[in-house]
Amino acid sequence: MRVINFNPGPAGLPLPALERARDELLDFQGSGMSVMEHSHRGKEYEAVHDEAISLLTELLGIPATHQVLFLTGGASQQFAQVPMNFLTPDTGADYLMTGVWSEKAFEEAKYYGKPRVAATTVQPDKHYTRVPRQDELKLDAKAAYVHLTSNNTIYGTQWHTFPDVGNVPLVADMSSDFLWKRIDVSRFGLIYAGAQKNLGPSGVTLVVADKAFIARGRKDIPKFFRYTTHAENNSLYNTPPTFAIYLVRNVLAWMKGLGGLEQMERQNREKAALLYGAIDRNSGFYRAPVERESRSVMNVVFHLPSEELNAAFVAEAKKAGMVGLKGHRTAGGIRVSTYNAVTVENVRTLATFMDHFVKTRG
Ligand SMILES: *Cc1c(COP(=O)(O)O)cnc(C)c1O
Protein backbone atom coordinates (compact mmCIF):
# COMPACT_ATOMS: atom_id res chain seq x y z
CA MET A 1 0.00 0.00 0.00
CA ARG A 2 1.43 3.38 -0.99
CA VAL A 3 1.21 6.24 1.49
CA ILE A 4 0.40 9.88 0.79
CA ASN A 5 3.93 11.23 0.63
CA PHE A 6 4.62 14.87 1.56
CA ASN A 7 8.40 14.39 1.80
CA PRO A 8 10.48 17.50 1.04
CA GLY A 9 13.11 15.68 -1.04
CA PRO A 10 13.79 13.09 -2.12
CA ALA A 11 10.08 13.31 -2.69
CA GLY A 12 7.22 11.21 -3.98
CA LEU A 13 7.22 10.30 -7.65
CA PRO A 14 4.13 10.03 -9.85
CA LEU A 15 2.84 6.47 -9.76
CA PRO A 16 2.61 6.08 -13.59
CA ALA A 17 6.31 6.99 -13.92
CA LEU A 18 7.24 4.32 -11.35
CA GLU A 19 4.95 1.71 -12.87
CA ARG A 20 6.49 2.27 -16.26
CA ALA A 21 9.96 1.76 -14.73
CA ARG A 22 8.75 -1.38 -12.97
CA ASP A 23 7.31 -2.84 -16.16
CA GLU A 24 10.52 -2.17 -18.08
CA LEU A 25 12.99 -2.93 -15.32
CA LEU A 26 14.28 -6.36 -16.37
CA ASP A 27 13.75 -6.11 -20.09
CA PHE A 28 13.92 -2.66 -21.63
CA GLN A 29 12.11 -2.67 -24.97
CA GLY A 30 12.88 -6.30 -25.72
CA SER A 31 16.64 -5.81 -25.32
CA GLY A 32 16.92 -8.46 -22.59
CA MET A 33 18.41 -6.03 -20.08
CA SER A 34 17.47 -3.05 -17.94
CA VAL A 35 18.01 0.46 -19.27
CA MET A 36 20.66 0.94 -16.57
CA GLU A 37 22.66 -1.97 -18.00
CA HIS A 38 22.85 -0.38 -21.45
CA SER A 39 25.84 1.54 -22.73
CA HIS A 40 25.36 5.27 -22.42
CA ARG A 41 26.57 5.44 -26.03
CA GLY A 42 24.12 2.85 -27.36
CA LYS A 43 21.04 3.74 -29.39
CA GLU A 44 18.61 2.47 -26.71
CA TYR A 45 19.88 4.79 -24.00
CA GLU A 46 20.56 7.66 -26.36
CA ALA A 47 16.89 7.69 -27.42
CA VAL A 48 15.84 8.04 -23.76
CA HIS A 49 18.42 10.80 -23.16
CA ASP A 50 17.32 12.80 -26.20
CA GLU A 51 13.65 12.30 -25.43
CA ALA A 52 14.15 13.67 -21.91
CA ILE A 53 15.80 16.77 -23.40
CA SER A 54 13.13 17.29 -26.03
CA LEU A 55 10.28 16.80 -23.55
CA LEU A 56 11.83 19.32 -21.18
CA THR A 57 12.43 21.77 -24.02
CA GLU A 58 8.81 21.46 -25.15
CA LEU A 59 7.22 21.61 -21.67
CA LEU A 60 9.19 24.62 -20.50
CA GLY A 61 9.34 26.36 -23.88
CA ILE A 62 13.14 26.55 -23.82
CA PRO A 63 14.35 28.90 -26.58
CA ALA A 64 17.14 27.98 -29.03
CA THR A 65 19.49 30.34 -27.15
CA HIS A 66 19.47 27.91 -24.20
CA GLN A 67 20.59 24.32 -23.71
CA VAL A 68 19.58 21.54 -21.31
CA LEU A 69 22.37 19.77 -19.40
CA PHE A 70 22.25 16.72 -17.14
CA LEU A 71 24.94 17.05 -14.48
CA THR A 72 25.65 15.36 -11.17
CA GLY A 73 26.57 16.53 -7.69
CA GLY A 74 23.18 18.04 -6.88
CA ALA A 75 22.37 21.69 -6.40
CA SER A 76 25.20 21.77 -3.87
CA GLN A 77 27.75 21.23 -6.63
CA GLN A 78 26.14 24.07 -8.59
CA PHE A 79 26.73 26.37 -5.60
CA ALA A 80 30.44 25.93 -6.39
CA GLN A 81 30.38 25.36 -10.13
CA VAL A 82 28.61 28.64 -10.92
CA PRO A 83 31.22 30.87 -9.25
CA MET A 84 34.04 28.60 -10.47
CA ASN A 85 32.98 29.31 -14.05
CA PHE A 86 32.06 32.96 -13.82
CA LEU A 87 34.11 34.63 -11.08
CA THR A 88 37.73 35.65 -10.75
CA PRO A 89 39.33 36.84 -7.50
CA ASP A 90 38.52 40.40 -8.55
CA THR A 91 34.97 40.01 -9.83
CA GLY A 92 31.76 40.18 -7.88
CA ALA A 93 28.37 38.54 -8.07
CA ASP A 94 25.16 39.68 -6.39
CA TYR A 95 23.38 37.22 -4.11
CA LEU A 96 19.76 37.61 -3.00
CA MET A 97 19.59 35.98 0.40
CA THR A 98 16.32 34.27 1.22
CA GLY A 99 17.25 31.22 3.25
CA VAL A 100 19.65 28.45 4.13
CA TRP A 101 20.28 27.43 0.49
CA SER A 102 21.13 30.99 -0.59
CA GLU A 103 23.56 31.20 2.31
CA LYS A 104 25.28 27.99 1.24
CA ALA A 105 25.55 29.19 -2.36
CA PHE A 106 27.00 32.51 -1.16
CA GLU A 107 29.63 30.79 1.02
CA GLU A 108 30.88 28.68 -1.91
CA ALA A 109 31.26 31.76 -4.12
CA LYS A 110 33.77 33.24 -1.65
CA TYR A 111 36.31 30.63 -2.78
CA TYR A 112 36.40 32.11 -6.27
CA GLY A 113 35.49 35.78 -6.15
CA LYS A 114 33.81 38.54 -4.24
CA PRO A 115 30.13 37.75 -3.81
CA ARG A 116 27.98 40.56 -2.38
CA VAL A 117 24.74 40.42 -0.48
CA ALA A 118 22.51 42.51 -2.76
CA ALA A 119 19.44 41.92 -0.59
CA THR A 120 18.55 39.88 2.45
CA THR A 121 15.36 39.27 4.37
CA VAL A 122 17.07 37.52 7.28
CA GLN A 123 15.58 38.38 10.65
CA PRO A 124 17.32 38.77 14.00
CA ASP A 125 16.33 35.17 14.85
CA LYS A 126 18.10 34.05 11.61
CA HIS A 127 14.83 32.94 9.99
CA TYR A 128 13.28 34.21 6.78
CA THR A 129 9.57 34.87 6.24
CA ARG A 130 9.53 36.57 2.84
CA VAL A 131 11.53 37.31 -0.30
CA PRO A 132 12.79 40.84 -1.02
CA ARG A 133 10.85 43.46 -2.96
CA GLN A 134 12.34 44.94 -6.11
CA ASP A 135 12.98 48.27 -4.32
CA GLU A 136 15.11 46.50 -1.70
CA LEU A 137 17.67 45.17 -4.19
CA LYS A 138 21.03 46.94 -4.21
CA LEU A 139 22.34 45.61 -7.49
CA ASP A 140 25.77 46.20 -9.00
CA ALA A 141 25.56 46.63 -12.78
CA LYS A 142 29.08 45.19 -13.06
CA ALA A 143 28.28 41.93 -11.25
CA ALA A 144 29.10 38.74 -13.16
CA TYR A 145 25.62 37.43 -12.31
CA VAL A 146 22.77 37.76 -9.82
CA HIS A 147 21.97 34.58 -7.88
CA LEU A 148 18.63 33.77 -6.27
CA THR A 149 16.81 30.77 -4.82
CA SER A 150 13.40 30.69 -6.51
CA ASN A 151 11.71 28.63 -3.79
CA ASN A 152 12.96 28.36 -0.24
CA THR A 153 12.24 24.76 0.62
CA ILE A 154 12.94 25.13 4.33
CA TYR A 155 11.11 28.40 5.09
CA GLY A 156 8.27 28.00 2.59
CA THR A 157 8.79 31.26 0.70
CA GLN A 158 8.85 31.70 -3.08
CA TRP A 159 9.55 34.39 -5.65
CA HIS A 160 6.26 34.83 -7.49
CA THR A 161 7.69 37.36 -9.90
CA PHE A 162 11.37 37.33 -10.70
CA PRO A 163 13.21 40.60 -10.10
CA ASP A 164 14.42 42.88 -12.84
CA VAL A 165 18.21 42.68 -12.74
CA GLY A 166 18.94 44.70 -15.87
CA ASN A 167 21.50 43.22 -18.23
CA VAL A 168 23.25 41.09 -15.63
CA PRO A 169 22.65 37.33 -16.12
CA LEU A 170 20.21 35.88 -13.61
CA VAL A 171 21.21 32.53 -12.09
CA ALA A 172 18.52 30.63 -10.22
CA ASP A 173 18.53 27.63 -7.92
CA MET A 174 15.11 26.16 -8.78
CA SER A 175 15.65 22.85 -6.99
CA SER A 176 12.28 22.84 -5.29
CA ASP A 177 10.04 24.58 -7.83
CA PHE A 178 11.48 23.72 -11.24
CA LEU A 179 8.58 22.92 -13.62
CA TRP A 180 5.80 23.97 -11.29
CA LYS A 181 4.64 26.35 -14.04
CA ARG A 182 5.81 27.94 -17.30
CA ILE A 183 8.49 30.61 -16.87
CA ASP A 184 10.26 32.91 -19.31
CA VAL A 185 13.54 31.00 -19.68
CA SER A 186 15.08 33.74 -21.82
CA ARG A 187 15.41 35.90 -18.68
CA PHE A 188 17.91 33.47 -17.13
CA GLY A 189 21.63 33.01 -17.70
CA LEU A 190 21.47 29.68 -15.91
CA ILE A 191 18.88 27.63 -14.04
CA TYR A 192 19.79 24.61 -11.95
CA ALA A 193 17.75 22.07 -10.00
CA GLY A 194 18.45 18.78 -8.28
CA ALA A 195 15.87 16.38 -9.71
CA GLN A 196 14.80 14.80 -6.43
CA LYS A 197 12.13 17.32 -5.50
CA ASN A 198 9.90 18.11 -8.40
CA LEU A 199 10.95 15.85 -11.23
CA GLY A 200 12.71 12.61 -10.49
CA PRO A 201 15.06 10.67 -8.25
CA SER A 202 18.30 12.01 -6.77
CA GLY A 203 21.47 11.63 -8.81
CA VAL A 204 20.85 14.02 -11.68
CA THR A 205 20.92 17.82 -11.66
CA LEU A 206 19.09 19.66 -14.41
CA VAL A 207 20.70 22.76 -15.84
CA VAL A 208 19.21 25.09 -18.42
CA ALA A 209 21.98 27.38 -19.60
CA ASP A 210 22.19 30.36 -21.92
CA LYS A 211 24.77 29.17 -24.46
CA ALA A 212 26.32 32.63 -24.84
CA PHE A 213 26.64 32.99 -21.06
CA ILE A 214 28.41 29.66 -20.49
CA ALA A 215 30.68 30.33 -23.49
CA ARG A 216 32.06 33.27 -21.48
CA GLY A 217 32.96 30.94 -18.60
CA ARG A 218 36.55 30.47 -17.47
CA LYS A 219 38.79 28.22 -19.55
CA ASP A 220 41.46 27.82 -16.86
CA ILE A 221 39.46 25.49 -14.65
CA PRO A 222 39.39 21.68 -14.95
CA LYS A 223 37.58 20.60 -18.07
CA PHE A 224 35.02 18.58 -16.15
CA PHE A 225 33.77 21.65 -14.28
CA ARG A 226 33.28 23.83 -17.36
CA TYR A 227 29.65 23.99 -18.47
CA THR A 228 30.85 24.13 -22.07
CA THR A 229 32.41 20.65 -21.79
CA HIS A 230 29.03 19.12 -21.02
CA ALA A 231 27.21 21.37 -23.50
CA GLU A 232 29.54 20.36 -26.36
CA ASN A 233 29.02 16.68 -25.55
CA ASN A 234 25.22 16.68 -25.09
CA SER A 235 25.83 15.74 -21.40
CA LEU A 236 27.63 12.56 -22.52
CA TYR A 237 31.19 13.71 -21.83
CA ASN A 238 31.38 11.05 -19.14
CA THR A 239 28.84 8.42 -18.09
CA PRO A 240 25.72 10.29 -17.00
CA PRO A 241 23.36 8.93 -14.31
CA THR A 242 21.41 6.98 -16.92
CA PHE A 243 18.74 5.47 -14.70
CA ALA A 244 17.96 8.81 -13.02
CA ILE A 245 17.65 10.46 -16.44
CA TYR A 246 15.42 7.61 -17.60
CA LEU A 247 13.10 8.22 -14.63
CA VAL A 248 13.09 11.97 -15.29
CA ARG A 249 12.02 11.08 -18.85
CA ASN A 250 9.13 9.03 -17.42
CA VAL A 251 8.08 11.93 -15.20
CA LEU A 252 8.25 14.44 -18.07
CA ALA A 253 6.20 12.12 -20.32
CA TRP A 254 3.63 11.83 -17.51
CA MET A 255 3.48 15.65 -17.20
CA LYS A 256 2.96 16.05 -20.92
CA GLY A 257 0.21 13.43 -20.86
CA LEU A 258 -1.60 15.34 -18.11
CA GLY A 259 -1.60 18.57 -20.08
CA GLY A 260 1.85 20.05 -19.50
CA LEU A 261 2.84 22.91 -17.25
CA GLU A 262 -0.47 24.76 -17.58
CA GLN A 263 -2.14 21.80 -15.90
CA MET A 264 0.69 21.49 -13.34
CA GLU A 265 0.24 25.14 -12.41
CA ARG A 266 -3.55 24.77 -12.06
CA GLN A 267 -3.11 21.75 -9.78
CA ASN A 268 -0.32 23.34 -7.75
CA ARG A 269 -2.35 26.51 -7.18
CA GLU A 270 -5.38 24.48 -6.19
CA LYS A 271 -3.32 22.43 -3.71
CA ALA A 272 -1.81 25.57 -2.18
CA ALA A 273 -5.26 27.19 -1.91
CA LEU A 274 -6.60 24.11 -0.08
CA LEU A 275 -3.78 24.17 2.47
CA TYR A 276 -3.58 27.91 3.06
CA GLY A 277 -7.39 27.87 3.25
CA ALA A 278 -7.26 25.29 6.05
CA ILE A 279 -4.60 27.35 7.87
CA ASP A 280 -6.42 30.66 7.50
CA ARG A 281 -9.86 29.44 8.58
CA ASN A 282 -8.23 27.92 11.68
CA SER A 283 -5.79 30.77 12.26
CA GLY A 284 -6.27 30.65 16.01
CA PHE A 285 -4.70 27.19 15.93
CA TYR A 286 -2.44 27.02 12.87
CA ARG A 287 0.08 29.84 12.54
CA ALA A 288 1.71 30.49 9.16
CA PRO A 289 4.95 32.46 9.66
CA VAL A 290 5.36 33.41 5.99
CA GLU A 291 4.09 36.77 4.74
CA ARG A 292 1.16 36.32 2.36
CA GLU A 293 2.80 37.61 -0.85
CA SER A 294 5.76 35.26 -0.36
CA ARG A 295 3.82 32.11 0.47
CA SER A 296 5.24 29.14 -1.39
CA VAL A 297 3.05 27.02 -3.59
CA MET A 298 5.45 24.08 -3.14
CA ASN A 299 6.28 23.99 0.60
CA VAL A 300 3.58 25.09 3.01
CA VAL A 301 4.92 25.78 6.49
CA PHE A 302 2.86 26.25 9.66
CA HIS A 303 3.06 25.81 13.42
CA LEU A 304 0.61 24.40 15.93
CA PRO A 305 0.34 26.05 19.37
CA SER A 306 2.93 23.76 21.02
CA GLU A 307 5.70 21.26 20.27
CA GLU A 308 3.49 18.53 21.71
CA LEU A 309 0.72 19.39 19.28
CA ASN A 310 3.18 19.53 16.33
CA ALA A 311 4.32 16.02 17.24
CA ALA A 312 0.76 14.76 17.75
CA PHE A 313 -0.23 16.17 14.36
CA VAL A 314 2.62 14.32 12.63
CA ALA A 315 1.85 11.08 14.49
CA GLU A 316 -1.89 11.14 13.83
CA ALA A 317 -1.40 12.07 10.18
CA LYS A 318 0.90 9.07 9.87
CA LYS A 319 -1.81 6.82 11.27
CA ALA A 320 -4.09 8.24 8.59
CA GLY A 321 -1.56 7.29 5.88
CA MET A 322 0.20 10.65 5.43
CA VAL A 323 3.97 10.96 5.88
CA GLY A 324 6.74 13.55 5.51
CA LEU A 325 5.07 16.37 7.43
CA LYS A 326 7.67 17.25 10.05
CA GLY A 327 9.19 20.70 9.50
CA HIS A 328 12.90 21.12 8.76
CA ARG A 329 15.00 20.91 11.92
CA THR A 330 16.04 24.57 11.65
CA ALA A 331 12.48 25.86 11.10
CA GLY A 332 10.40 23.50 13.24
CA GLY A 333 6.63 23.06 13.01
CA ILE A 334 4.98 21.37 10.05
CA ARG A 335 6.02 21.50 6.41
CA VAL A 336 3.82 20.13 3.66
CA SER A 337 5.71 19.64 0.42
CA THR A 338 3.24 19.52 -2.43
CA TYR A 339 5.41 18.89 -5.47
CA ASN A 340 3.96 17.93 -8.83
CA ALA A 341 3.54 14.25 -7.92
CA VAL A 342 1.25 15.09 -4.99
CA THR A 343 -2.35 15.07 -6.22
CA VAL A 344 -5.13 17.53 -5.44
CA GLU A 345 -6.97 14.61 -3.82
CA ASN A 346 -3.97 13.91 -1.55
CA VAL A 347 -3.99 17.52 -0.40
CA ARG A 348 -7.76 17.55 0.07
CA THR A 349 -7.35 14.58 2.41
CA LEU A 350 -4.79 16.52 4.45
CA ALA A 351 -6.88 19.72 4.52
CA THR A 352 -9.84 17.72 5.84
CA PHE A 353 -7.55 16.13 8.42
CA MET A 354 -6.39 19.62 9.48
CA ASP A 355 -9.97 20.78 10.10
CA HIS A 356 -10.71 17.61 12.02
CA PHE A 357 -7.55 17.93 14.11
CA VAL A 358 -8.60 21.41 15.27
CA LYS A 359 -12.03 20.08 16.33
CA THR A 360 -10.54 17.27 18.41
CA ARG A 361 -7.38 18.94 19.77
CA GLY A 362 -7.94 22.66 19.40
C1 LIG B 1 17.30 20.52 -1.60
C2 LIG B 1 17.83 21.82 -2.06
C3 LIG B 1 19.20 22.01 -2.32
C4 LIG B 1 20.22 20.93 -2.08
O1 LIG B 1 20.16 20.02 -3.11
P1 LIG B 1 21.21 18.81 -3.25
O2 LIG B 1 20.77 18.23 -4.56
O3 LIG B 1 21.03 17.93 -2.08
O4 LIG B 1 22.56 19.39 -3.32
C5 LIG B 1 19.60 23.24 -2.79
N1 LIG B 1 18.73 24.23 -3.00
C6 LIG B 1 17.41 24.09 -2.76
C7 LIG B 1 16.48 25.23 -3.02
C8 LIG B 1 16.92 22.88 -2.29
O5 LIG B 1 15.61 22.74 -2.05
Side-chain angles (χ1 to χ4, degrees), residues 208-247:
V208 180
D210 181 334
K211 295 176 200 170
F213 178 50
I214 59 173
R216 296 201 299 271
R218 292 179 66 152
K219 313 285 184 292
D220 58 347
I221 58 173
K223 212 171 182 179
F224 189 78
F225 295 109
R226 295 177 216 161
Y227 290 104
T228 48
T229 300
H230 299 282
E232 284 158 12
N233 291 281
N234 191 29
S235 304
L236 290 160
Y237 173 73
N238 69 319
T239 317
T242 54
F243 195 65
I245 294 168
Y246 160 81
L247 259 167

Side-chain angles (χ1 to χ4, degrees), residues 6 29 46 149 238 256 287 290 354:
F6 294 110
Q29 296 180 345
E46 218 155 24
T149 315
N238 69 319
K256 183 179 171 180
R287 184 178 58 80
V290 172
M354 287 170 70

Side-chain angles (χ1 to χ4, degrees), residues 20-290:
R20 187 173 177 185
R22 178 196 60 197
D23 293 345
E24 297 182 331
L25 188 65
L26 300 183
D27 184 4
F28 180 68
Q29 296 180 345
S31 65
M33 62 176 100
S34 140
V35 67
M36 67 183 119
E37 298 168 289
H38 273 278
S39 164
H40 62 295
R41 313 230 177 255
K43 65 176 178 2
E44 289 86 356
Y45 173 70
E46 218 155 24
V48 170
H49 188 92
D50 291 341
E51 188 188 349
I53 294 171
S54 64
L55 280 168
L56 182 59
T57 304
E58 178 187 342
L59 284 165
L60 197 54
I62 299 173
T65 46
H66 286 59
Q67 184 172 354
V68 175
L69 305 177
F70 297 129
L71 305 184
T72 51
S76 299
Q77 180 173 303
Q78 295 306 304
F79 295 165
Q81 197 170 348
V82 166
M84 193 191 274
N85 274 264
F86 302 111
L87 295 188
T88 64
D90 299 320
T91 51
D94 281 345
Y95 278 72
L96 310 184
M97 310 299 279
T98 54
V100 170
W101 297 116
S102 320
E103 289 170 4
K104 291 201 165 156
F106 179 77
E107 288 304 316
E108 295 290 75
K110 288 183 185 168
Y111 289 99
Y112 301 102
K114 293 193 171 67
R116 286 174 63 246
V117 173
T120 179
T121 49
V122 72
Q123 298 178 335
D125 65 2
K126 304 266 196 288
H127 290 248
Y128 296 78
T129 57
R130 65 179 182 90
V131 300
R133 296 184 310 270
Q134 179 78 38
D135 64 13
E136 293 175 302
L137 311 187
K138 305 227 166 10
L139 298 170
D140 175 0
K142 289 206 272 303
Y145 57 85
V146 177
H147 181 279
L148 64 77
T149 315
S150 57
N151 182 70
N152 297 280
T153 328
I154 294 172
Y155 293 108
T157 66
Q158 189 174 24
W159 290 87
H160 288 289
T161 42
F162 290 112
D164 179 0
V165 297
N167 292 323
V168 177
L170 187 56
V171 173
D173 173 4
M174 294 197 186
S175 291
S176 54
D177 68 352
F178 190 55
L179 297 189
W180 85 274
K181 67 166 185 182
R182 271 299 262 265
I183 53 166
D184 180 2
V185 173
S186 69
R187 292 187 60 190
F188 295 87
L190 194 134
I191 295 166
Y192 61 89
Q196 70 273 18
K197 278 142 192 170
N198 223 9
L199 69 158
S202 61
V204 62
T205 313
L206 283 97
V207 169
V208 180
D210 181 334
K211 295 176 200 170
F213 178 50
I214 59 173
R216 296 201 299 271
R218 292 179 66 152
K219 313 285 184 292
D220 58 347
I221 58 173
K223 212 171 182 179
F224 189 78
F225 295 109
R226 295 177 216 161
Y227 290 104
T228 48
T229 300
H230 299 282
E232 284 158 12
N233 291 281
N234 191 29
S235 304
L236 290 160
Y237 173 73
N238 69 319
T239 317
T242 54
F243 195 65
I245 294 168
Y246 160 81
L247 259 167
V248 166
R249 190 284 307 263
N250 288 2
V251 172
L252 294 170
W254 164 80
M255 271 186 204
K256 183 179 171 180
L258 274 188
L261 295 193
E262 287 69 23
Q263 179 61 14
M264 283 300 130
E265 177 174 2
R266 254 195 304 280
Q267 291 181 8
N268 286 324
R269 289 198 187 280
E270 191 176 346
K271 291 184 289 182
L274 282 167
L275 289 174
Y276 289 114
I279 293 168
D280 292 342
R281 73 177 160 267
N282 300 298
S283 59
F285 189 72
Y286 299 118
R287 184 178 58 80
V290 172

